[in-house]
Amino acid sequence: MAAATIVHDTSEAVELCPPYGLYLKPITKMTISVALPQLKQPGKSISNWEVMERLKGMVHSHQFSTLRISKSTMDFIRFEGEVENKSLVKSFLACLDGKTIKLSGFSDILKVRAAEFKIDFPTRHDWDSFFRDAKDMNETLPGERPDTIHLEGLPCKWFALKESGSEKPSEEVLVKVFEKFGEIRNVDIPMLDPYREEMTGRNFHTFSFGGHLNFEAYVQYREYVGFIQAMSALRGMKLMYKGEDGKAVACNIKVSFDSTKHLSDASIKKRQLERQKLQELEQQREEQKRREKEAEERQRAEERCRRRDTE
C-alpha cells in the first residue's frame, strides 16, 4: 500500500469514526494514456517528464494532487493522476480525453486518452456466486458465508488506543470503528498474535513505502446487513485521518470479502490449538534453558570448590 498523502480539501469526506479522527474520502483517480509516435531518427527519444509537464498544462487553472507514470513502453506512456475532489474528475477528463500534445522537435502529434480509474473492488455478485458455488462452505455457519471483511493496508497508528502511548493497533478500536455498520461478532488482527507468524509462515509486520507501518484485519458481522453496509460504504473510498490540528491525510486500503473461513468456529479453534502447542513448546524450551543454566552454575560451583580444595 502506498504511503498516506496530504488532503487539502476534506469537503467530500464522510464520517467513519470521528472520535478516532477516521473518515472515508472518495477515490479521485484517473488513468491517462499518451500514444507515442514511431521514432524514425536513431538516438532521438521522447522525454516522459516533458509529456507529464504538458499534461499538467492542459488542465488549465487546476492542479493534480499526484501524477505519476504507471507504465512506459515504446508505444505509450500510462499515467495515474489524482485530484483533490470527485467533482473535479469530470472537468479534468474533459480537458484531457481525446486531446493531442505537440512536443518540440517532433512532427507527429501525441494522442491522449483519459478515463476514470477502474477500482478493483468486489461486487455483490462476486461474493454471492463465490459462496453459492463453494462446495466446502455451509452458509448456516459464521465465517462460511458473506459476513467477514478482510482489510489490508490499515495504518497501525490510526487504530491505536488513545493515551496508550503505543502505536500498535487495537482490536477494541477496530470494533469501535466498524460497528458503525452493524453488530460485530468477531475481529482478528494477525500481527497482534505473537505465535501467528510461526503458525502460518507469514510475516505480518509489513512496512509500506514511506515507512508507515500497516496491518491487516478481519471484521466479522453478526448479520448479513452489517457486512453489506460496510462493503457499500468502503467501495471506492480511501481511509482518511484528521488530526486535532485539523490537518488530514488519506491512504488507499484493500478491501475484500473473506473466502478462507478465517473467522469460522473451526478455524478459530484450530488456531487456538496450534497456539497452545506452540506455547507448550516455548515453555519446554524455557524449562530446558533453565535446567541447562542451573547445570552450568552447579558445574562452575563444583569447579570453584575443587580449586579451593587443591590450594
Side-chain angles (χ1 to χ4, degrees):
M1 295 286 138
T5 51
I6 295 166
V7 177
H8 298 287
D9 182 349
T10 60
S11 60
E12 288 181 344
V14 293
E15 290 185 353
L16 178 60
C17 185
Y20 278 89
L22 293 173
Y23 298 80
L24 296 171
K25 184 187 183 300
I27 290 170
T28 52
K29 269 189 190 174
M30 62 193 81
T31 308
I32 306 152
S33 287
V34 179
L36 301 178
Q38 292 293 310
L39 296 174
K40 296 172 182 76
Q41 285 172 271
K44 203 165 190 189
S45 64
I46 285 171
S47 157
N48 288 358
W49 178 84
E50 192 184 343
V51 174
M52 191 186 276
E53 288 306 304
R54 289 299 174 90
L55 291 174
K56 287 178 184 175
M58 287 166 76
V59 294
H60 311 307
S61 57
H62 297 305
Q63 271 187 331
F64 286 99
S65 41
T66 61
L67 183 63
R68 66 176 191 87
I69 294 166
S70 59
K71 192 173 183 183
S72 179
T73 72
M74 296 294 283
D75 303 313
F76 66 87
I77 311 169
R78 188 176 296 137
F79 296 87
E80 237 175 55
E82 209 161 340
V83 294
E84 272 292 322
N85 273 326
K86 195 83 176 159
S87 54
L88 282 174
V89 174
K90 279 192 170 55
S91 54
F92 268 68
L93 294 179
C95 293
L96 297 165
D97 190 41
K99 304 293 190 289
T100 57
I101 293 172
K102 176 86 177 68
L103 294 181
S104 49
F106 290 91
S107 54
D108 303 62
I109 55 167
L110 280 59
K111 286 200 176 81
V112 180
R113 300 296 311 182
E116 207 163 330
F117 183 79
K118 196 172 181 309
I119 291 154
D120 178 23
F121 198 96
T123 62
R124 187 168 185 159
H125 173 263
D126 292 332
W127 60 75
D128 279 350
S129 57
F130 174 83
F131 286 100
R132 185 189 62 231
D133 301 338
K135 300 281 179 277
D136 61 337
M137 298 280 183
N138 179 349
E139 63 177 32
T140 65
L141 299 175
E144 299 192 27
R145 56 194 182 204
D147 61 7
T148 304
I149 294 179
H150 182 206
L151 300 135
E152 294 172 88
L154 300 170
C156 293
K157 238 184 187 173
W158 301 1
F159 287 82
L161 272 169
K162 284 185 172 182
E163 318 303 328
S164 69
S166 167
E167 288 193 0
K168 266 191 174 179
S170 149
E171 288 189 350
E172 191 186 318
V173 176
L174 190 68
V175 168
K176 275 184 187 149
V177 172
F178 286 98
E179 68 185 359
K180 173 190 172 83
F181 306 111
E183 194 187 340
I184 287 172
R185 180 179 185 267
N186 213 336
V187 295
D188 181 43
I189 299 176
M191 75 172 281
L192 295 181
D193 181 353
Y195 298 97
R196 197 70 60 93
E197 283 179 27
E198 219 172 321
M199 278 152 60
T200 59
R202 282 177 63 200
N203 176 14
F204 295 99
H205 301 264
T206 50
F207 282 89
S208 74
F209 306 111
H212 287 272
L213 185 57
N214 296 336
F215 71 101
E216 67 167 314
Y218 295 84
V219 176
Q220 184 182 59
Y221 287 93
R222 203 168 281 283
E223 303 289 340
Y224 181 54
V225 67
F227 170 83
I228 285 279
Q229 284 180 349
M231 289 299 270
S232 303
L234 295 166
R235 183 187 307 278
M237 293 294 199
K238 277 180 150 191
L239 185 63
M240 186 182 100
Y241 174 79
K242 198 174 183 179
E244 285 167 11
D245 55 3
K247 288 179 181 170
V249 284
C251 72
N252 288 303
I253 57 169
K254 190 177 178 200
V255 180
S256 51
F257 62 90
D258 175 50
S259 58
T260 66
K261 304 189 193 179
H262 186 81
L263 287 177
S264 68
D265 291 343
S267 295
I268 292 167
K269 196 175 177 183
K270 189 178 171 224
R271 280 195 297 273
Q272 282 169 346
L273 288 170
E274 284 177 8
R275 189 180 299 113
Q276 213 173 321
K277 276 184 204 163
L278 287 168
Q279 281 170 335
E280 284 165 10
L281 212 68
E282 194 175 39
Q283 280 164 359
Q284 283 167 14
R285 283 199 291 258
E286 289 299 318
E287 186 58 29
Q288 178 71 17
K289 270 187 205 166
R290 191 182 62 75
R291 283 201 297 267
E292 282 169 8
K293 200 176 174 188
E294 280 176 4
E296 271 175 38
E297 282 170 3
R298 268 200 311 276
Q299 208 176 337
R300 277 200 294 268
E302 282 167 13
E303 276 173 17
R304 280 198 299 272
C305 284
R306 274 201 301 274
R307 275 201 300 271
R308 266 205 309 273
D309 292 347
T310 55
E311 281 169 6

